[in-house]
């Protein structure tokens, strides 16, 4: 039963109906490059951007007073690391992002499970989440400061709000997309709720849930950037605000690049998890 969802999604007959020869995977049709080559190109693309950036700075096309060159940024980052400021700021920001993400993910899983598995839950809960989705969440920052003060709570709660919506939407869509024929088979086999969760729902919702996870992590870092611009006493946002007051554009860019690198690292971790968690799907296609 644990392989039913994957085999059903990769049935050769389905591929033939879609106009594709049986046995060929989507990735094989999409690209003729080897996976290792694609990974190398993915790693090298930021290097090309940095090289072009440095070249434009060396030629004087980019004014280093307004946008420092990569070499200058590396020197600034090294100084910040030597003083311990950068490590401390990253640790504080990562802690806020992690706490906000865990809180938002927990709420999204509970609400998504209620709505995706229950018609009554859909009627009662989904309209409220849809209202939350249309709110200008950045505009909630002043209200959160009034409610929770200027300490850690408003920053964590703002990150959580940004995480809820993408995870919730993807989870609900995945649960609603579960094949009802497979659900009837599970009922005929008299599987317990835990067995249905493991063998039916978990394989079915994992692809959509991982997409939502990548989106939610990206939104978490965006929310954190905004949250840390308001009354932050530590973290990358505090570092950037101090640099702004002294017109230290190199420190500002280093802080922004740290946000970007942290976002890339979390996205890479989810992609790695995706390859391992969905290995059964690729094995079903190649069978």
């Amino acid at each position: 039963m644990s392989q039913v969802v994957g085999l059903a999604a990769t049935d050769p007959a389905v591929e033939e109906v879609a106009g594709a020869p049986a046995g060929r995977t989507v990735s094989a049709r999409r690209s003729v490059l080897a996976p290792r080559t694609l990974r190398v190109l993915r790693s090298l693309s930021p290097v090309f951007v940095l090289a072009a950036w440095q070249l434009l700075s060396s030629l004087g096309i980019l004014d280093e007073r307004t946008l420092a060159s990569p070499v200058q940024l590396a020197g600034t980052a090294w100084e910040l690391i030597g003083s311990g400021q950068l490590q401390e700021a990253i640790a504080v920001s990562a802690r806020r992002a992690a706490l906000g993400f865990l809180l938002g993910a927990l709420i999204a899983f509970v609400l998504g499970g209620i709505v995706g598995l229950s018609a009554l839950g859909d009627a009662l809960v989904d309209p409220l989440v849809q209202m939350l989705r249309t709110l200008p969440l950045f505009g909630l920052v002043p209200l959160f400061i009034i409610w929770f003060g200027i300490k850690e709570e408003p920053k964590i709660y703002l990150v959580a709000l940004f995480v809820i919506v993408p995870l919730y939407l993807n989870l609900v869509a995945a649960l609603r997309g579960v094949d009802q024929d497979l659900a009837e088979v599970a009922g005929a086999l008299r599987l317990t709720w835990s067995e249905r969760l493991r063998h039916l729902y978990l394989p079915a919702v994992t692809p959509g849930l991982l997409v939502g996870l990548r989106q939610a992590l990206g939104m978490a870092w965006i929310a954190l950037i905004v949250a840390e611009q308001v009354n932050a006493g530590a973290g990358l946002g505090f570092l950037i605000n101090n640099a702004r007051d002294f017109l230290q554009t190199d420190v500002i860019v280093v802080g922004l690049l740290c946000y970007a690198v942290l976002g890339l690292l979390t996205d890479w971790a989810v992609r790695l998890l995706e390859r391992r968690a969905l290995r059964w799907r690729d094995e079903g296609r190649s069978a």
Side-chain angles (χ1 to χ4, degrees):
M1 187 68 182
S2 59
Q3 302 295 329
V4 171
V5 177
L7 293 177
T10 58
D11 192 341
V14 176
E15 292 185 340
E16 289 177 351
V17 170
R24 293 186 62 188
T25 64
V26 175
S27 59
R29 294 195 303 269
R30 185 175 57 185
S31 175
V32 296
L33 297 176
R36 180 175 298 180
T37 303
L38 293 174
R39 286 195 294 269
V40 171
L41 290 176
R42 176 179 292 273
S43 301
L44 289 179
S45 60
V47 177
F48 293 148
V49 173
L50 289 176
W53 183 357
Q54 181 62 47
L55 177 61
L56 293 175
S57 297
S58 300
L59 295 175
I61 298 176
L62 293 178
D63 189 350
E64 295 186 350
R65 292 173 298 179
T66 56
L67 182 61
S69 68
V71 172
Q72 286 182 314
L73 293 178
T76 300
W78 184 254
E79 292 177 2
L80 292 173
I81 292 173
S83 64
Q85 296 180 64
L86 191 59
Q87 302 96 304
E88 181 182 355
I90 290 175
V92 172
S93 294
R95 175 181 172 276
R96 290 169 179 160
L99 291 176
F101 176 81
L102 290 175
L103 177 61
L106 177 62
I107 296 174
F109 287 151
V110 172
L111 296 180
I114 292 173
V115 172
L117 298 175
S118 169
L120 179 61
D122 184 18
L124 295 177
V125 176
D126 187 66
L128 301 177
V129 181
Q130 297 301 329
M131 291 173 61
L132 175 64
R133 185 167 67 93
T134 59
L135 284 177
L137 296 184
F138 288 130
L140 293 176
V141 174
L143 192 59
F144 273 31
I145 292 175
I146 295 174
W147 286 349
F148 307 112
I150 59 174
K151 296 183 179 180
E152 294 297 293
E153 288 81 0
K155 303 173 183 61
I156 294 173
Y157 294 156
L158 187 66
V159 172
L161 277 179
F162 269 67
V163 167
I164 290 173
V165 173
L167 268 179
Y168 167 85
L169 292 177
N170 281 277
L171 179 58
V172 170
L175 287 172
R176 289 175 176 172
V178 173
D179 193 334
Q180 292 303 309
D181 292 337
L182 296 178
E184 292 177 2
V185 171
L189 294 175
R190 297 182 179 179
L191 297 183
T192 64
W193 173 247
S194 61
E195 290 173 336
R196 293 189 186 193
L197 180 64
R198 176 183 177 185
H199 299 294
L200 176 61
Y201 289 108
L202 187 58
V205 304
T206 297
L209 190 60
L210 288 172
V211 172
L213 185 61
R214 292 180 65 186
Q215 294 175 346
L217 285 169
M219 295 301 294
W221 290 113
I222 293 175
L224 184 65
I225 293 173
V226 175
E228 289 191 333
Q229 298 301 308
V230 182
N231 294 321
L236 289 171
F238 175 73
L239 188 69
I240 291 174
N241 283 336
N242 279 347
R244 179 196 60 192
D245 294 338
F246 293 98
L247 301 178
Q248 296 173 320
T249 57
D250 53 343
V251 178
I252 294 175
V253 176
V254 167
L256 293 175
L257 288 177
C258 286
Y259 281 122
V261 171
L262 289 170
L264 285 176
L265 288 176
T266 52
D267 186 74
W268 172 82
V270 176
R271 290 173 64 90
L272 180 62
L273 176 63
E274 182 179 15
R275 286 198 296 268
R276 294 186 177 182
L278 302 182
R279 187 176 300 169
W280 57 267
R281 186 172 62 179
D282 296 332
E283 292 174 352
R285 285 173 176 169
S286 60

